[in-house]
Amino acid sequence: MTQASLATTFAEFGLHTPLLARLAELQYIQPTPVQAHTIPSILSGQDLLAGANTGSGKTAAFALPILQQLMDRNRTSSPKGNLVSALVLVPTRELAKQVADSFKSYAVHLNGDIKVVAAFGGVSVNTQMLALRGGADVVVATPGRLLDLISSNAVKLSAVSTLVLDEADRMLSLGFTEELAQLIALLPKKKQTLLFSATFPEEVRQLTQTLLNNPLEVQLQSAEASTLVQRVMTVNREKKTALLAHLLQQHQWRQVLIFVSAKNGCNHLAQKLAKRGISAEVFHGDKAQGARSRVLESFKAGEIQVLIATDIAARGLDIEKLPVVINFDLPRSPADYMHRIGRSGRAGEVGLALTLLSHDEYHHFSVIEKKNKIRLEREQVNGFEADDIMPDNVLEQPKPVAKPEGMGKKKRKKLPPVNVDIWAKKPE
Ligand code: AMP
C-alpha cells in the first residue's frame, strides 16, 4: 500500500458503526501508522507479518478487523460447543488480560454478541473452563495454559479462522517454542494468520516461513511509527482537578507525567488527587536530591503511575518517553510547551499530550499555539464543560512575577512563590 492511500480516519476502513462509535468514545481520532498500514489487508483476509512495538496501537490493529469479521459472519455459524473463532496467543498473563480487555472494550456496543475469554496461567483453571463453556468468539491465551485447557477438553482449536501471534519474539525467547508448535499442529490449515513482533531473530523468521501464506509485510520505521496526538480540553478552573481525576480514572494510562507551574502546585495537586483515591508522586526542586532520585527510579521502573512535576524538574528527567503527558497548568513559554509534549510519543508508540485549559489561560495558550504554528481544537468533556464566559468567582491567574524555578543563575535569591494557593483557597 502506498503512503498516499493510507487512511486518516477509522471510517475509511469501512468499520461498522458500533465499532466507530466506540473509537470515538475512546477518543481515537486517527489511526496510528501500524493501524493505517495493516487494517485494510487484515480485513481483506490476507496474512500479515508486522514489525511493531508495544505502544504502537497494534492491539487495535488486529482486534478491530477481527471484531468486524466476526460481526460479518452469520451469527448462526458462531462457535458452539467448545470451539473458538479467533485465537490470540501472547507471551504473558498481563498481556493476555490487557489484550482481552481491549477486545471487550472495542466490542462494548455489540450487545454482548461477541464473547471474549482470557486464558492464562497463575490463576485457577476452573473459572476459565467455565468461561469457555459454549465456545468463544475470541480467546486470548498464553500457550501453556491453552494447552492445559485443550488437554482437559475445555476448548478445541479446530474451528479457528484467525490466529494472531502477538509479540512473537518475546514468546519464543520465553521458551514457548515447543508449546507453539503443539498448538499450531492443532489449528486448521486454512486460516488467516497475523504475526506481530518487535524484532525478527532467526527463530521468528523460521516460524513466519512455516506459518504465513503470502503475507503483507509491514515494517514501520521508528520515525514514522511515532504518533503524537495533541488535545486541548477547556474546563472551569475550579473543576480542573476533578476533570484530571476523571481522566486518570477513566483511561488508566500506564504512566502519566503531569506538569504544573509551581512547586507548591505539585503538592496541592497530589493531595487533592489522593483525596480522590489516586496516588501520585511529586518531583520538584524543593525535594532533596536523594528523594528525587528515588522517585525518578521508581517512575522509571514503572512503580509510580502518576508523577506531578514542574518544568525545571522535568528538564533533567532522564526517562524514556511516556504514553501520556498532561499540562495541568500551561508552561510559560511556547518552547516549554514543545519540550513538555516531546516527552510523550516514544518511537513506535502512540503519544498523547493533553492540555487542560481554563478561562484565565485561553489567551496565553493562543500565543503558545501561534508561536509553535499549531492550532488545536478546543474540546469539552461531558460533565466538565467550561462556561462560555469566565465564571466571576475565579481568580485571574497571577501574572508571572519571577523567572520559573531554576531558570536563573545558580546563586540567586529565593524567589517569591508563584501561583501559590490558587487551588487551595477554592472549594472543589
Ligand atoms: P498497544 O500498542 O496496542 O498496546 O496500544 C498502545 C496505546 O495506544 C493503548 O493505550 C491504546 O488504547 C492506544 N491507542 C491505540 N490506537 C490508538 C489511536 N488510533 N489513537 C489513540 N490512541 C490509540
Side-chain angles (χ1 to χ4, degrees), residues 82-329:
N82 49 6
L83 298 175
V84 178
S85 288
L87 174 64
V88 184
L89 292 175
V90 296
T92 64
R93 66 180 85 158
E94 290 76 22
L95 196 58
K97 215 179 145 327
Q98 191 183 311
V99 170
D101 286 346
S102 297
F103 267 99
K104 287 178 194 165
S105 168
Y106 300 138
V108 117
H109 297 308
L110 305 187
N111 305 322
D113 273 353
I114 304 283
K115 183 171 161 193
V116 181
V117 177
F120 47 86
V123 292
S124 149
V125 78
N126 294 340
T127 330
Q128 292 167 5
M129 284 174 134
L130 270 179
L132 285 165
R133 257 195 209 158
D137 295 286
V138 182
V139 168
V140 184
T142 50
R145 174 55 60 97
L146 185 60
L147 282 170
D148 293 344
L149 287 162
I150 292 169
S151 66
S152 51
N153 243 339
V155 67
K156 252 191 167 156
L157 303 187
S158 54
V160 168
S161 52
T162 312
L163 168 69
V164 181
L165 291 183
D166 194 12
E167 307 206 353
D169 49 351
R170 247 172 109 198
M171 201 133 49
L172 295 178
S173 71
L174 286 172
F176 283 126
T177 316
E178 183 58 30
E179 282 90 343
L180 263 186
Q182 289 178 36
L183 288 170
I184 288 166
L186 297 171
L187 289 161
K189 279 256 161 344
K190 191 171 170 303
K191 62 184 172 305
Q192 183 181 20
T193 304
L194 315 172
L195 187 145
F196 291 82
S197 198
T199 57
F200 290 89
E202 189 46 38
E203 266 189 304
V204 178
R205 293 197 173 280
Q206 280 174 12
L207 186 67
T208 62
Q209 272 162 18
T210 51
L211 202 58
L212 299 174
N213 175 25
N214 186 27
L216 171 79
E217 295 190 22
V218 173
Q219 178 63 55
L220 294 168
Q221 298 309 310
S222 51
E224 73 164 319
S226 145
T227 308
L228 175 65
V229 178
Q230 297 176 60
R231 307 185 58 191
V232 182
M233 289 161 180
T234 54
V235 60
N236 289 353
R237 177 159 280 282
E238 78 276 8
K239 285 265 185 79
K240 248 194 192 187
T241 311
L243 172 59
L244 176 67
H246 168 78
L247 293 168
L248 292 173
Q249 275 155 347
Q250 187 189 25
H251 294 282
Q252 295 290 321
W253 289 299
R254 177 169 59 77
Q255 273 199 315
V256 187
L257 178 60
I258 301 172
F259 283 103
V260 298
S261 55
K263 296 178 234 179
N264 318 52
C266 288
N267 297 329
H268 282 311
L269 187 58
Q271 284 159 13
K272 291 192 163 191
L273 289 179
K275 282 193 192 140
R276 292 168 183 273
I278 297 168
S279 98
E281 289 288 339
V282 296
F283 193 78
H284 55 66
D286 267 2
K287 279 181 95 78
Q289 192 53 48
R292 275 168 76 163
S293 310
R294 276 195 297 281
V295 168
L296 192 53
E297 284 314 309
S298 312
F299 192 58
K300 278 193 203 170
E303 293 151 13
I304 294 174
Q305 211 182 341
V306 182
L307 186 66
I308 307 173
T310 55
D311 281 291
I312 187 59
R315 215 165 280 244
L317 273 184
D318 169 29
I319 43 171
E320 282 196 66
K321 288 195 182 179
L322 299 159
V324 184
V325 164
I326 298 182
N327 293 315
F328 186 82
D329 294 323

Side-chain angles (χ1 to χ4, degrees), residues 10 23 26-32 34-35 53-61 95 98 102 106 227 229 251 253 323 348-350:
F10 284 99
L23 294 174
L26 290 171
Q27 294 156 357
Y28 287 13
I29 296 169
Q30 66 197 61
T32 67
V34 71
Q35 292 160 2
N53 293 315
T54 297
S56 59
K58 64 183 167 62
T59 313
L95 196 58
Q98 191 183 311
S102 297
Y106 300 138
T227 308
V229 178
H251 294 282
W253 289 299
E349 287 208 349
V350 184

